[in-house]
Amino acid sequence: EEEEEEEKEKEEIEEIEEVEEEQDKIQKKFDNNKKEQEQFKKIQKQIREEEEEEKQTKKVQKQIKEVKEEEEIKKIQKDEQETYNQEEQEQIVIELQYCQDEDLLEETLKPEEREQVREEETVSEREEEIVLRREEETIEEREEEVQRLIEEEFTPCLLYTSPSPRDRQKSRMPSSA
């Protein structure tokens, strides 16, 4: 009996040791899982920080691009204004030169020659007006001709198509019953 008890005791001790070993294994797994979770959280935090940094970078790049575009627009506007001012000045110089030439011409011409030059200018202006009117009339005639051809060639009509079987299933028209 004593031997049996000793044997039982021994078996119980072995079982307890096995259970303790199993508990140790479980604890190690738990600890490993906990470490992995911490690493995972760390990685997630790092990813969020990188994403935020990327957003900030894109925002700054967008602002830089907008500023560059604004600067470019201002430069273009400035160039256009300078070009306009230069053209305007050139036009003024040409007009002044023309006026001076006319004055000089009038001073050198005899009265009858001056009258002839004025008549020629008037005739020239009238000719320009006539040419412009003819061009306008030609354009109007062409427009009328195109409209006439369209009316002759194309007759408006309404196209009726019978409803498909699908249309009969879902009638779009209210029934007259």
Side-chain angles (χ1 to χ4, degrees):
E1 267 188 38
E2 256 181 55
E3 273 185 25
E4 274 184 27
E5 264 186 47
E6 259 182 46
E7 188 68 31
K8 267 186 169 180
E9 229 175 80
K10 213 175 185 184
E11 284 179 7
E12 284 179 356
I13 289 176
E14 282 180 4
E15 281 181 20
I16 288 174
E17 286 177 350
E18 283 179 10
V19 166
E20 285 177 347
E21 277 182 31
E22 193 63 36
Q23 281 179 342
D24 282 348
K25 284 181 181 178
I26 289 174
Q27 184 65 39
K28 282 182 181 178
K29 280 185 178 180
F30 178 78
D31 289 344
N32 280 341
N33 280 342
K34 196 171 181 180
K35 284 180 182 178
E36 287 177 357
Q37 282 180 349
E38 287 174 2
Q39 285 178 340
F40 181 73
K41 285 181 181 180
K42 222 177 190 179
I43 290 172
Q44 279 184 323
K45 183 181 177 190
Q46 191 177 9
I47 288 173
R48 281 194 300 272
E49 288 172 352
E50 288 174 357
E51 287 174 343
E52 186 61 34
E53 189 176 309
E54 186 176 339
K55 280 181 183 179
Q56 289 298 326
T57 301
K58 284 184 179 181
K59 186 177 178 183
V60 167
Q61 286 174 341
K62 183 180 176 188
Q63 289 172 341
I64 289 172
K65 183 180 177 189
E66 288 173 352
V67 166
K68 284 182 177 180
E69 287 174 350
E70 285 177 18
E71 288 174 350
E72 193 168 319
I73 287 172
K74 285 179 182 177
K75 185 183 181 301
I76 289 172
Q77 287 174 338
K78 182 182 174 193
D79 290 348
E80 287 176 347
Q81 185 64 39
E82 287 175 358
T83 302
Y84 175 77
N85 290 341
Q86 186 178 0
E87 289 173 353
E88 197 173 68
Q89 287 174 353
E90 289 173 358
Q91 184 64 31
I92 290 172
V93 167
I94 290 171
E95 287 175 5
L96 282 173
Q97 190 176 8
Y98 178 76
C99 289
Q100 289 171 351
D101 290 348
E102 286 240 334
D103 290 344
L104 181 65
L105 181 66
E106 291 228 1
E107 289 173 6
T108 58
L109 292 176
K110 296 178 188 168
E112 48 291 334
E113 290 174 329
R114 279 189 220 144
E115 187 60 38
Q116 185 180 355
V117 167
R118 285 191 186 116
E119 285 176 6
E120 287 175 359
E121 287 177 348
T122 306
V123 167
S124 174
E125 289 172 1
R126 286 184 189 151
E127 287 175 345
E128 285 179 21
E129 286 178 15
I130 290 172
V131 167
L132 282 174
R133 269 195 232 123
R134 284 186 183 157
E135 287 176 355
E136 288 175 0
E137 289 172 358
T138 306
I139 290 173
E140 288 176 3
E141 288 172 359
R142 287 181 183 161
E143 288 175 345
E144 289 173 2
E145 179 67 17
V146 166
Q147 185 63 35
R148 187 185 60 74
L149 286 172
I150 288 173
E151 289 173 359
E152 286 178 5
E153 293 294 319
F154 301 102
T155 306
C157 70
L158 295 175
L159 177 64
Y160 173 78
T161 57
S162 59
S164 70
R166 187 176 32 166
D167 289 337
R168 288 188 200 130
Q169 291 171 358
K170 295 181 181 178
S171 177
R172 294 188 181 135
M173 300 291 281
S175 62
S176 59

